[in-house]
Amino acid sequence: AQSVAQPEDQVNVAEGNPLTVKCTYSVSGNPYLFWYVQYPNRGLQFLLKYITGDNLVKGSYGFEAEFNKSQTSFHLKKPSALVSDSALYFCAVNAGKSTFGDGTTLTVKP
Amino acid sequence: NAGVMQNPRHLVRRRGQEARLRCSPMKGHSHVYWYRQLPEEGLKFMVYLQKENIIDESGMPKERFSAEFPKEGPSILRIQQVVRGDSAAYFCASSHDAATNEKLFFGSGTQLSVL
């Protein structure tokens, strides 16, 4: 069985500071990992995915994520946070019948 | 190219009534997935359909819930005899391929409220 854990329900950062949203996974075989963002009253939007290759994946809106096989982690990062980045972020493993984490609310304060 | 379209956006039903949620996938997508999101929780997989076939319904309750994706028309998630615990946001997603590395495109969801 596959699973995803997002250990932080909430992450608060000041605008302009770097941000990290954590994700760890458990899956047999090679993982396919995804990050999605959800704004209020909207569906999820794809940010980025890791399939294979370079461990640092770049995605939309300046976000990136680092795949770490030994730590089974796929943390989402951004060098300089914007207030408009405030949203709910979901990590997911595989696709189709994806398994999602419970989400992390990111709040960026001016 | 319209995205994934779900309707209605909001649906209010009284206990015991039926709820029908519709989802039109992106053009060219033949794989549809339904998820349920409860307040303060993540998305829980319900069912995966490909045109006219249910591929995986392991996340869908055995009673009162059913799903279809006919050859023509949208996918339908049907909940019979709704109860208050069915109140949630229901999201539909579609993909072009069933490969496990495909990203999903989500609709804006249907918020079901059961009175």
Side-chain angles (χ1 to χ4, degrees), chain A residues 32 34 36 38 41-44 46 49 51 88 90 94-98 100-103, chain B residues 9 33 35 37 40-45 56 58 91 99-104 106-108:
Chain A
Y32 299 123
F34 300 78
Y36 291 85
Q38 185 181 30
N41 302 313
R42 301 290 299 276
L44 277 67
F46 170 80
K49 68 178 179 181
I51 304 299
L88 184 57
F90 289 97
N94 280 13
K97 182 186 173 181
S98 292
F100 286 82
D102 286 342
Chain B
R9 286 297 307 273
Y33 315 85
Y35 290 85
Q37 185 178 34
E40 310 301 324
E41 293 188 17
L43 274 75
K44 303 302 180 188
F45 168 80
D56 184 339
S58 59
F91 289 95
T100 53
N101 60 7
E102 279 280 309
K103 68 181 181 184
L104 300 179
F106 281 83
S108 295

Side-chain angles (χ1 to χ4, degrees), chain A residues 7-71:
Chain A
E8 302 159 316
D9 291 337
Q10 294 229 349
V11 170
N12 299 312
V13 298
E15 188 173 31
N17 283 1
L19 70 87
T20 299
V21 182
K22 296 179 180 177
C23 170
T24 59
Y25 66 90
S26 174
V27 64
S28 57
N30 294 322
Y32 299 123
L33 297 159
F34 300 78
W35 275 102
Y36 291 85
V37 59
Q38 185 181 30
Y39 297 100
N41 302 313
R42 301 290 299 276
L44 277 67
Q45 297 176 31
F46 170 80
L47 274 180
L48 50 80
K49 68 178 179 181
Y50 171 82
I51 304 299
T52 186
D54 195 348
N55 289 342
L56 186 63
V57 179
K58 293 189 183 297
S60 307
Y61 312 121
F63 283 93
E64 57 190 29
E66 186 169 9
F67 171 67
N68 187 316
K69 188 173 183 178
S70 62
Q71 296 185 6

